[in-house]
Amino acid sequence: MSLLFNEQEIATDKQGYLINFKDWHTDLAQIIADKDQLVLTEQHFEVIRFVREFYLTYNTSPAIRALTKAMKAEFGEEKSSSRYLYRLFKEGPAKQATKYAGLPKPARCI
Amino acid sequence: MSMLHLVRTSAFQTSDFQQCLNVIQANDTIVLLDDGCYNLSHDLWQQALSKIALPALYIVEAHAQARAITIDKEKINTLSLDALMTLICATEKSVTWQ
Amino acid sequence: MSQAKKSVAIVNASAPFSTANAKDSLDVALIFGSYEQAISLYFQGDGVYQLIPKQQPEFIQQKDFLKTLAALTFYDIENIYVCQHSLTERGLANDFSIENVAVLNRVEFSKSLHQHQSILRF
């Protein structure tokens, strides 16, 4: 499986996650999201960038609880509640945001 | 609150048993099983005897017999596999050293 | 006491890279954390080598899972204890890759560990 981006083939797994997180680019996020028929807004991007930063710092994709707790410190209560995040990413914020951020799916499923 | 320590490795090979003795408390119980049975002839067993009263020191008899380990009743009590199961089920807290 | 009764302790007793124990242990801890189950981490014996700063596992083609230790706080894992005796034995200073680690002497370490009902050792 692969995506076409800037005339380059980017390898993905069956579910659309990038094989190599280093292939990611901000503009690639929307192309990945196209497959889910989702138009990314700045609110989505706040989460996507945060998740990517988390991965680069801690070498793991955050599960939902860790994500909300870590985001709370940076964005405050309102923008880190799981309700808010689920409204943005209906299939599950940790699962979906990591995909658009070019990261592996969180191993610990939720 | 007493704790059951299940020792499964030989102190001649690993430091598991030494670490067990480092955290053990006077009213805990020790069971030697599998290769842990070899600890009966290790110097550390004297440390075990000095920390824990004899009635709370056990070796699984079948595991000792399988290894031709001579059991000195002054140093340890024997436990059948059934009795081991009963002991584990009756224990609220346990840790396996392996 | 009733709170301590239900809690689970993980004892890390292996050095980080030559077996999968340390990585497995961390995975288990994060799963407990994700499900809001209280868990305490203990480092004893060669397990203390997991906390040494500036390790570079990429030199031996391993993923740097030790970086994940710094994220434990986001999983509500805040009770982290290290055995002073094990550090001394290995000539290690109380200098760790993560913050908020409590170094306990042998008696305190034993006492703290005895508060837990379930102990998983890796």
Side-chain angles (χ1 to χ4, degrees):
Chain A
M1 308 283 282
S2 66
L3 293 166
L4 199 61
F5 176 67
N6 281 349
E7 292 167 18
Q8 281 188 335
E9 288 230 348
I10 310 267
T12 71
D13 69 7
K14 269 190 223 154
Q15 293 164 298
Y17 290 84
L18 296 197
I19 301 294
N20 184 351
F21 76 95
K22 288 178 182 153
D23 287 343
W24 191 79
H25 184 278
T26 316
D27 298 338
L28 188 57
Q30 183 58 59
I31 295 171
I32 304 172
D34 282 346
K35 298 219 167 188
D36 298 334
Q37 276 127 30
L38 181 68
V39 177
L40 300 177
T41 64
E42 179 49 31
Q43 288 172 312
H44 290 103
F45 270 104
E46 268 178 2
V47 184
I48 291 166
R49 282 191 298 263
F50 186 85
V51 164
R52 192 159 170 95
E53 197 54 40
F54 189 101
Y55 184 85
L56 295 176
T57 310
Y58 302 114
N59 239 345
T60 186
S61 295
I64 177 68
R65 256 186 65 74
L67 178 63
T68 54
K69 192 166 179 194
M71 284 191 73
K72 201 161 142 187
E74 191 149 332
F75 296 104
E77 195 86 47
E78 200 185 316
K79 280 194 162 182
S80 65
S81 73
S82 46
R83 198 197 303 172
Y84 170 80
L85 294 170
Y86 268 98
R87 212 182 302 140
L88 291 174
F89 301 99
K90 297 196 169 47
E91 288 166 37
K95 226 165 70 175
Q96 224 175 339
T98 52
K99 181 157 77 172
Y100 307 150
L103 306 172
K105 188 176 168 183
R108 292 163 282 274
C109 66
I110 60 162
Chain B
M1 289 297 283
S2 85
M3 189 176 275
L4 174 64
H5 299 264
L6 302 165
V7 181
R8 297 190 63 197
T9 59
S10 159
F12 298 104
Q13 172 85 12
T14 73
S15 59
D16 298 327
F17 185 47
Q18 175 69 69
Q19 285 172 28
C20 165
L21 293 174
N22 286 348
V23 301
I24 209 155
Q25 296 192 356
N27 54 354
D28 289 354
T29 298
I30 299 181
V31 177
L32 301 181
L33 65 162
D34 299 320
D35 281 353
C37 294
Y38 294 121
N39 296 322
L40 192 57
S41 50
H42 195 282
D43 289 344
L44 285 175
W45 193 250
Q46 287 308 321
Q47 241 190 70
L49 283 163
S50 69
K51 289 185 175 193
I52 309 288
L54 188 58
L57 297 173
Y58 297 99
I59 190 165
V60 174
E61 193 167 23
H63 294 181
Q65 283 170 333
R67 291 168 176 77
I69 291 168
T70 316
I71 295 165
D72 179 350
K73 300 269 180 189
E74 310 261 289
K75 287 165 80 179
I76 203 155
N77 301 285
T78 57
L79 207 57
S80 70
L81 285 166
D82 282 353
L84 174 64
M85 276 304 128
T86 311
L87 183 63
I88 291 171
C89 294
T91 305
E92 209 179 302
K93 298 194 287 188
S94 71
V95 54
T96 303
W97 302 89
Q98 63 183 7
Chain C
M1 190 66 210
S2 61
Q3 194 226 341
K5 239 183 168 177
K6 279 183 192 159
S7 67
V8 177
I10 289 183
V11 179
N12 292 292
S14 313
F17 307 130
S18 57
T19 69
N21 288 357
K23 172 80 171 72
D24 289 349
S25 161
L26 182 60
D27 281 340
V28 170
L30 295 182
I31 290 167
F32 271 94
S34 298
Y35 287 92
E36 297 179 54
Q37 302 297 304
I39 188 152
S40 303
L41 299 188
Y42 292 81
F43 292 85
Q44 189 196 16
D46 278 356
V48 299
Y49 287 125
Q50 295 179 31
L51 297 175
I52 302 293
K54 299 192 185 103
Q55 300 192 67
Q56 295 174 286
E58 49 288 5
F59 280 104
I60 46 171
Q61 288 77 47
Q62 294 207 30
K63 188 181 163 182
D64 190 358
F65 67 91
L66 297 174
K67 274 168 95 177
T68 307
L69 289 170
L72 288 173
T73 172
F74 302 125
Y75 290 80
D76 292 323
I77 300 170
E78 272 149 2
N79 299 322
I80 304 173
Y81 308 101
V82 183
C83 171
Q84 173 70 66
H85 176 73
S86 305
L87 292 171
T88 311
E89 256 182 346
R90 288 161 183 76
L92 297 173
N94 294 5
D95 178 20
F96 309 115
S97 62
I98 51 171
E99 288 168 21
N100 301 320
V101 169
V103 178
L104 305 180
N105 69 33
R106 227 198 267 209
V107 175
E108 294 164 339
F109 192 86
S110 164
K111 210 167 153 189
S112 176
L113 197 58
H114 273 73
Q115 287 173 0
H116 301 280
Q117 192 173 18
S118 301
I119 298 173
L120 309 170
R121 188 167 173 273
F122 291 85

